[in-house]
Amino acid sequence: MPVITLEQINLMDLSLEETEQLVDRLGEPRYRAKQIFKWVHQKGVSDFAGMTDLPLGLREKLQAVSSVGLLAISARQQASDGTVKYLFNLTDGDAVESVFLPHDYGNSVCISSQAGCRMGCRFCASTIGGLVRNLTAGEMYAQVMGIAADTGQKIGSVVIMGSGEPMENLSQVLKFISLVTSPHGLNIGSRHITVSTCGVVPGIKQLAREKLQITLSVSLHAPNDEIRDRIMPINKKYPVKVLIEACREYISMTKRRVTFEYALIDNLNDSRENAIELGRLLKGMLCHVNLIPLNHVRERDFRRSRPARVRSFKDTLDRMGVPATVRKEMGADIDAACGQLRRRAAREQVMSGRR
Ligand code: SAH
């Protein structure tokens, strides 16, 4: 178990066991940890004075060594369909994006796992400025709590599909999952959590060994190496065959259906031949394909496929018996693509001379 040092601890980063260690070191009875954990991870209270069932002495001790790392909202865009995109300020100056997605079947939150990203996918805005740093589990948690507080809505599911590559920050992502599924926290079921990767094979294998009941989502976007190499640098390291093999291993170890994300890009990966090749690649696998018309990113040349091409791509997969859906587009009238709001904020800062 990691040792807690008593210097400005972010209570949102601590598991229940770590909160117990802290309480021990403060010379307080252990049962206090659960109360503290609930204030922080269930109620999102950051002001120690509001933790009314804790004795004053303990509140003062906590105040001296720790804080609750909620994140301030620096920008907010609401789409006509109810989708809300947030930019949260990190304490060291950068910012991360998160999205609230209301659905009939429950609300979902999409969070970032890193500030920036180093994976270099050619169609993605998050990676343009490179990686700034990994987020801590508490910083991921704070995005969910911030959105819950701002919307006043119950959050039913979490997708780790915002900026960043979760497999490059897996220990904190796993810790976040354990915090968010804790019955003393938000108590979100594992089956309502999705982790999305661009295809970092060792991470997929490590995650498989955890045998969690979460959904693994793999950003495939191409049926072969020739196309995938052109849009996703990670493919040079872990080509399509190796990636699909890792997904098969994941499925056999967890018995969970894998989702493949496929952004349809005009004239690049959206032909009938591409659909047939994808169908052959995935046929018989316990999987589902999410077809997403590409979101145009200002800094990139790629265009989304025309609606007729999207429909016929899906029809081809249907005929081959590979389950596929065209993802309902949400937030179309705001900066919906990954990393666009953060890019806009950076541009506006440059324009106003603040950076
Ligand atoms: N690094 C992880 C998670 C973050 S990206 C991953 O690659 O999966 C989340 C998803 O958005 C990925 O499927 C990514 O490929 C996709 N994406 C990024 N930019 C996009 C764009 N402009 N249009 C559509 N999807 C995009």
Side-chain angles (χ1 to χ4, degrees), residues 174-247:
L174 289 173
K175 187 171 190 190
F176 164 75
I177 294 171
S178 78
L179 290 175
V180 87
T181 53
S182 163
H184 310 297
L186 289 173
N187 198 17
I188 295 176
S190 302
R191 287 167 181 264
H192 301 284
I193 293 175
T194 299
V195 173
S196 180
T197 178
C198 66
V200 180
V201 164
I204 294 174
K205 293 188 171 187
Q206 194 185 332
L207 188 60
R209 287 194 291 274
E210 299 286 328
K211 294 214 169 75
L212 300 175
Q213 289 299 294
I214 60 168
T215 299
L216 173 68
S217 177
V218 175
S219 303
L220 189 57
H221 304 321
N224 59 43
D225 288 331
E226 192 251 313
I227 299 175
R228 203 161 190 267
D229 278 346
R230 285 165 59 192
I231 50 176
M232 300 181 75
I234 190 73
N235 198 63
K236 296 262 192 241
K237 206 161 176 191
Y238 307 110
V240 172
K241 262 211 181 78
V242 174
L243 174 57
I244 297 297
E245 200 41 54
C247 293

Side-chain angles (χ1 to χ4, degrees), residues 89-270:
N89 277 338
L90 300 174
T91 45
D92 59 2
D94 211 288
V96 290
E97 279 181 31
S98 330
V99 191
F100 173 74
L101 300 138
H103 302 292
D104 309 335
Y105 51 86
N107 301 312
S108 151
V109 164
C110 173
I111 63 158
S112 294
S113 57
Q114 297 180 313
C117 182
R118 69 179 191 105
M119 305 319 287
C121 299
R122 306 266 185 262
F123 46 81
C124 179
S126 297
T127 197
I128 293 172
L131 174 68
V132 178
R133 68 168 173 87
N134 281 336
L135 299 189
T136 68
E139 287 171 323
M140 292 178 230
Y141 204 94
Q143 297 171 56
V144 184
M145 291 310 263
I147 292 179
D150 186 67
T151 58
Q153 303 278 325
K154 190 171 156 43
I155 307 301
S157 58
V158 176
V159 297
I160 309 175
M161 225 188 237
S163 296
E165 172 48 49
M167 299 305 180
E168 298 247 303
N169 186 18
L170 192 53
S171 64
Q172 289 301 307
V173 165
L174 289 173
K175 187 171 190 190
F176 164 75
I177 294 171
S178 78
L179 290 175
V180 87
T181 53
S182 163
H184 310 297
L186 289 173
N187 198 17
I188 295 176
S190 302
R191 287 167 181 264
H192 301 284
I193 293 175
T194 299
V195 173
S196 180
T197 178
C198 66
V200 180
V201 164
I204 294 174
K205 293 188 171 187
Q206 194 185 332
L207 188 60
R209 287 194 291 274
E210 299 286 328
K211 294 214 169 75
L212 300 175
Q213 289 299 294
I214 60 168
T215 299
L216 173 68
S217 177
V218 175
S219 303
L220 189 57
H221 304 321
N224 59 43
D225 288 331
E226 192 251 313
I227 299 175
R228 203 161 190 267
D229 278 346
R230 285 165 59 192
I231 50 176
M232 300 181 75
I234 190 73
N235 198 63
K236 296 262 192 241
K237 206 161 176 191
Y238 307 110
V240 172
K241 262 211 181 78
V242 174
L243 174 57
I244 297 297
E245 200 41 54
C247 293
R248 288 188 193 283
E249 189 179 321
Y250 185 90
I251 294 165
S252 85
M253 286 180 77
T254 61
K255 312 283 179 259
R256 298 284 295 159
R257 179 188 303 268
V258 166
T259 303
F260 290 104
E261 305 293 325
Y262 197 103
L264 287 159
I265 308 175
D266 185 37
N267 256 322
L268 187 107
N269 63 359
D270 64 346

Side-chain angles (χ1 to χ4, degrees), residues 10 14 26 49 59 78 93 122 207 233 298-299 311 337 350:
N10 176 3
L14 303 191
L26 295 175
R59 281 188 251 157
Q78 178 143 14
R122 306 266 185 262
L207 188 60
R298 195 181 134 119
E299 291 88 343
R311 275 196 303 276
V350 170

